[in-house]
Amino acid sequence: MGRETQGGIVGAGPAGLLLSHLLHLQGIDSVVLELRSRADIESTIRAGVLEQGTVDLLTAVGVGERMRREGSVHHGIVLRFGGRDHRIDLHGLTGGRAIMLYAQHEVIKDLVKARLDAGGRLLFEVTDVSVHDFDTSAPKVRFRQGGEPQELRCDFVAGCDGFHGICRPSIPATRRTEYQRIYPFGWFGILAEAPRSTPEIIYARHERGFALVSTRSPELQRLYLQCDSKDDIANWPDERIWQELKARLATTDGWSLMDGPITQKGIVAMRSFVVEPMQYGRLFLAGDAAHIVTPTGAKGMNLAVADVRVLARALAEFFTSRSTELLERYSQTCLPRVWRAQRFSWWMTAVTHRFDDDDAFSGQLQLAELDYVTSSRAAATALAENYVGLPMDASSLK
Ligand code: FAD
Ligand code: DHB
């Protein structure tokens, strides 16, 4: 069976859903195809930190109301090392900018609702998705729905299907360059029904490995600890998790970590990845389909949002004037920001994690780096401006 739309969007993550919403606001029709069920995408636990620019965009396009009510604004973060806390005053160092703690699956719920309320076409639980003819002006997406083969004819395809999706590998290998770094460790993430232990996120460097304390609500906390990349959650009964977190987060001033029942556990692989260019013909990659950052900088979802903001503008220009100028520049516009986020995420990882080849010298360098960034206003400002989110255009940093 055949269908038509202007935009065929593969993947209903933050990138695909927000792109569909932004296009709709400009009168451009799209269809979003998603492998998983609505219930599944609305309950998968992932990111939590939204940059100021992401918050501003979600608000401006009418999907920020619940976020503003239920999310929490944080004006600083804490770097903990040597058993002591050092606060980075994000707000004071960036002229009043901040971050919002609001779970990614809540952003997903808000976007799905906005699309469905506007009559948007989101097809869940499709299978066998493949993209075709995107080197012509008549691309197609083929898939099965309820087992029935379907074909979606469109003017362009947006590959928003995450790192393991099918869009990126559909670009001929000779037409893309991939940059990748894989780390020997991962993050063990938990959700715990416990009171807050800290008003602000704590990034802790410890000889036993990195730990992170974040939050979702006054009653629900999100914590991570560095683990072996091949580790198994079966190796981590609740008591071991709390013991390890408490050891890595111990301070010299009597602070204590509040524990409680653990309701979710998962291991996240650590990877840095970029594909260049992020487009081929009429196929445009956005979000994790094009790049992965280590989670230490909290940048992944924010980069996905930044990509689709650029793509939506370029497509709007195309559909109003048939000009392909912005579309042709899509990769060039996105990639500098992607690499700046890679640099920052790599740096945050490098100064806080235990590496396999750890030697006493590297450990001292990490401490010197952390000491510098928490005692020099210039260095702290550099961290803060990256953490709250760099502007789209690097020239405005001058
Ligand atoms: P995804 O969210 O991966 O969405 C892709 C969608 O495509 C999925 O729903 C998938 O089911 C679907 N799909 C895949 N293949 C197909 C196919 N063939 N056909 C149709 N659909 C398909 N980022 C931050 O900004 N801040 C943070 O604090 C942060 N913390 C993180 C913590 C953890 C533990 C993890 C794992 C990630 C974190 N991130 C963070 C990263 C962030 O979650 C991702 O960067 C973000 O989800 C990227 O969005 P996306 O829409 O590009 O891809
Ligand atoms: C969270 C995730 C991150 O990757 C991070 O750097 C900080 C917080 C979170 O899930 O809350």
Side-chain angles (χ1 to χ4, degrees):
M1 203 189 102
R3 310 183 195 206
E4 278 186 25
T5 186
Q6 290 167 294
I9 300 178
V10 185
L17 290 168
L18 181 60
L19 177 63
S20 178
H21 180 67
L22 295 176
L23 292 178
H24 164 71
L25 295 180
Q26 306 191 72
I28 301 167
D29 181 64
S30 65
V31 175
V32 181
L33 305 172
E34 168 61 49
L35 293 182
R36 297 188 293 151
S37 67
R38 178 178 179 186
D40 197 4
I41 63 164
E42 290 189 342
S43 60
T44 304
I45 309 297
R46 291 187 78 180
V49 177
L50 307 185
E51 291 175 353
Q52 180 78 59
T54 301
V55 170
D56 294 345
L57 178 67
L58 295 177
T59 305
V61 299
V63 287
E65 198 231 329
R66 201 166 62 90
M67 170 188 71
R68 295 217 163 248
R69 223 175 38 238
E70 297 177 15
S72 66
V73 175
H74 285 212
H75 288 152
I77 56 168
V78 171
L79 299 181
R80 180 173 289 179
F81 56 96
R84 293 185 48 211
D85 282 351
H86 307 260
R87 180 169 190 263
I88 302 289
D89 177 8
L90 300 175
H91 196 253
L93 291 165
T94 61
R97 293 166 77 78
I99 52 153
M100 172 78 83
L101 269 268
Y102 187 63
Q104 176 168 329
H105 66 277
E106 303 295 347
V107 176
I108 297 273
K109 282 188 208 166
D110 297 341
L111 287 167
V112 168
K113 181 170 185 312
R115 287 310 297 123
L116 295 178
D117 286 353
R121 286 182 286 172
L122 308 180
L123 308 184
F124 295 106
E125 297 179 80
V126 301
T127 57
D128 301 331
V129 180
S130 58
V131 289
H132 305 269
D133 302 334
F134 44 84
D135 53 348
T136 73
S137 58
K140 296 169 195 73
V141 185
R142 298 203 178 105
F143 59 100
R144 284 178 188 272
Q145 194 181 21
E148 289 298 309
Q150 307 267 351
E151 184 174 90
L152 180 67
R153 289 185 301 279
C154 35
D155 295 304
F156 70 90
V157 178
C160 301
D161 50 349
F163 183 70
H164 300 287
I166 51 95
C167 289
R168 187 182 65 253
S170 302
I171 297 176
T174 51
R175 303 302 290 272
R176 57 186 150 94
T177 304
E178 297 187 346
Y179 300 87
Q180 172 153 254
R181 179 173 285 185
I182 295 174
Y183 299 78
F185 45 77
W187 275 13
F188 195 102
I190 62 163
L191 267 184
E193 285 170 358
R196 273 192 186 133
S197 304
T198 165
E200 294 179 338
I201 300 180
I202 302 172
Y203 287 86
R205 183 242 177 231
H206 192 275
E207 286 70 24
R208 298 178 68 91
F210 170 77
L212 168 55
V213 187
S214 183
T215 185
R216 287 294 178 268
S217 72
E219 303 82 29
L220 195 61
Q221 312 312 322
R222 180 80 167 137
L223 298 103
Y224 301 93
L225 54 87
Q226 179 184 355
C227 64
D228 192 281
S229 57
K230 293 184 191 66
D231 215 333
D232 188 331
I233 53 174
N235 297 331
W236 289 87
D238 294 12
E239 315 77 75
R240 180 176 173 212
I241 295 173
W242 289 119
Q243 217 174 22
E244 193 57 38
L245 281 168
K246 284 176 183 174
R248 295 184 191 186
L249 290 159
T251 62
T252 50
D253 67 1
W255 178 88
S256 65
L257 180 65
M258 312 287 260
D259 59 20
I262 297 177
T263 56
Q264 203 258 351
K265 299 179 187 178
I267 293 181
V268 188
M270 281 275 197
R271 183 194 300 273
S272 308
F273 176 88
V274 181
V275 68
E276 293 192 7
M278 292 165 55
Q279 64 197 94
Y280 179 73
R282 289 196 173 203
L283 171 61
F284 296 88
L285 305 175
D288 281 14
H291 39 70
I292 295 284
V293 287
T294 56
T296 329
K299 291 281 162 256
M301 175 166 50
N302 294 293
L303 281 179
V305 167
D307 288 350
V308 298
R309 167 188 257 172
V310 175
L311 187 53
R313 192 171 299 154
L315 288 167
E317 188 203 52
F318 172 76
F319 284 113
T320 46
S321 69
R322 292 283 145 184
S323 159
T324 56
E325 200 189 321
L326 291 183
L327 279 176
E328 282 161 19
R329 286 215 313 265
Y330 171 65
S331 294
Q332 269 167 274
T333 309
C334 293
L335 282 166
R337 183 188 175 86
V338 168
W339 279 111
R340 290 195 296 272
Q342 286 291 2
R343 186 207 67 81
F344 177 65
S345 306
W346 159 82
W347 180 83
M348 285 287 284
T349 306
V351 300
T352 53
H353 285 64
R354 188 187 159 86
F355 284 77
D356 261 2
D357 59 355
D358 253 8
D359 57 340
F361 192 87
S362 321
Q364 291 304 319
L365 284 183
Q366 281 185 326
L367 289 172
E369 191 81 35
L370 289 165
D371 183 40
Y372 176 55
V373 85
T374 53
S375 52
S376 149
R377 188 177 170 89
T381 304
L383 193 166
E385 74 173 4
N386 278 278
Y387 199 85
V388 299
L390 294 174
M392 279 306 303
D393 178 5
S395 59
S396 55
L397 283 170
K398 284 178 189 143

